[in-house]
Amino acid sequence: MAKGDVKLFGVWSRPFSLRIILALKLKGIEFEYIEEDLSNKSSQLLEYNPIHKKIPVLVHNGKPIVESLVILEYIDEIWKDNPILPVDPYERATARFLAKLGDEKCLEAVWRVFIADGKEQEEAIPPAIESLKPLEEALDGKKFFDGATIGFTDISLSSMVNMVRVFEEIINTRIINEAKFPFLSAWIENYLHFPIIQNNLPRHDKMVEKFRSRRLSYVKRV
Ligand SMILES: N[C@@H](CCC(=O)N[C@@H](CS)C(=O)NCC(=O)O)C(=O)O
């Protein structure tokens, strides 16, 4: 196993840093976690990620790696134990595609529901449901996206779907409901019982409190 100094710059409530924590824990890698304040970014964060100026940043032996999905692949290449990407090239491509879809389509669409109000919110719900359908189809009754245990897709999407559950509670609307999404609903239960995820998810009540106030800065009348 490659050794070295591993640091992670993150924010406790954000899915992009959570997925890196999950991957490092799954592989049993020791790391130093540095909590960032995005309203007052540290000089280290700006130095390590001068282009995007965003978390997460993984620093391995002094070298920064940015973009959470890129970081996950890096982790998997450096620390071979408990591989997270499938071996088969087509399955690898599918895993990458679904993780990207989750970030670029699903989270975006659910976020639009979350920060809207009244009629605008009602109108944002069908596109959000539509955006999640490919995930339901990809699961097709499997316990995890990547097979018998959690992998790249599960790690990426569980950190994203965890946010959806927080948003749903705040706006009092179920988007991923059992009737429309039986496989996704069962998968949520499966990952919630998976020890690495269970033990590292941020506390739901703290998340609700945090994002309730964040929503207030978007929605004038709630
Ligand atoms: N595509 C990036 C997204 C990272 C991202 O959006 N990070 C946000 C927090 S969730 C951030 O650091 N924002 C700071 C800013 O935009 O100023 C990834 O996957 O790492």
Side-chain angles (χ1 to χ4, degrees):
M1 180 188 283
K3 294 215 169 33
D5 179 45
V6 182
K7 291 190 175 76
L8 173 65
F9 291 77
V11 170
W12 70 270
S13 57
R14 301 303 173 93
F16 301 108
S17 41
L18 173 62
R19 60 177 54 148
I20 310 305
I21 294 173
L22 296 178
L24 291 169
K25 296 267 181 181
L26 186 73
K27 284 179 178 275
I29 310 303
E30 280 187 28
F31 62 100
E32 182 190 347
Y33 176 75
I34 299 132
E35 176 74 11
E36 272 293 325
D37 173 1
L38 293 180
S39 63
N40 181 23
K41 295 173 186 167
S42 71
S43 55
Q44 274 184 308
L45 178 70
L46 300 176
E47 179 196 328
Y48 285 135
N49 192 356
I51 298 175
H52 298 302
K53 303 178 176 58
K54 289 182 176 185
I55 58 94
V57 177
L58 186 81
V59 183
H60 183 210
N61 293 333
K63 288 190 281 190
I65 304 107
V66 303
E67 285 296 311
S68 61
L69 297 180
V70 175
I71 299 172
L72 286 186
E73 295 218 26
Y74 178 84
I75 290 172
D76 209 28
E77 283 182 28
I78 295 285
W79 294 282
K80 304 282 185 200
D81 287 355
N82 298 336
I84 54 172
L85 268 165
V87 176
D88 176 75
Y90 188 74
E91 286 177 18
R92 285 168 90 85
T94 305
R96 291 177 177 122
F97 171 77
L98 291 172
K100 222 161 129 50
L101 186 78
D103 287 2
E104 291 172 5
K105 287 263 187 207
C106 311
L107 191 55
E108 285 290 322
V110 176
W111 178 255
R112 276 195 285 276
V113 176
F114 180 61
I115 60 167
D117 207 4
K119 193 171 179 319
E120 203 187 315
Q121 185 174 75
E122 268 171 45
E123 286 171 358
I125 290 176
I129 289 176
E130 213 43 46
S131 77
L132 290 159
K133 282 186 180 162
L135 306 186
E136 178 75 6
E137 283 160 22
L139 261 176
D140 196 24
K142 283 184 292 189
K143 184 167 184 192
F144 294 112
F145 281 93
D146 299 301
T149 189
I150 64 163
F152 185 87
T153 321
D154 301 288
I155 288 173
S156 306
L157 293 178
S158 61
S159 55
M160 187 276 285
V161 167
N162 186 51
M163 292 296 300
V164 178
R165 281 294 190 240
V166 171
F167 295 166
E168 288 176 337
E169 178 164 340
I170 296 169
I171 63 171
N172 203 16
T173 304
R174 262 285 194 247
I175 297 169
I176 303 180
N177 64 56
E178 270 193 70
K180 283 203 174 65
F181 295 105
F183 298 149
L184 266 179
S185 305
W187 170 74
I188 292 172
E189 289 306 310
N190 293 338
Y191 78 62
L192 285 176
H193 288 96
F194 195 87
I196 295 285
I197 299 191
Q198 195 179 53
N199 298 336
N200 290 289
L201 280 182
R203 262 182 46 195
H204 185 75
D205 57 341
K206 278 184 70 193
M207 288 286 281
V208 168
E209 190 187 320
K210 170 94 191 163
F211 280 90
R212 203 187 287 283
S213 63
R214 190 135 184 250
R215 181 168 184 261
L216 283 172
S217 62
Y218 287 91
V219 185
K220 302 278 178 285
R221 291 171 302 106
V222 191

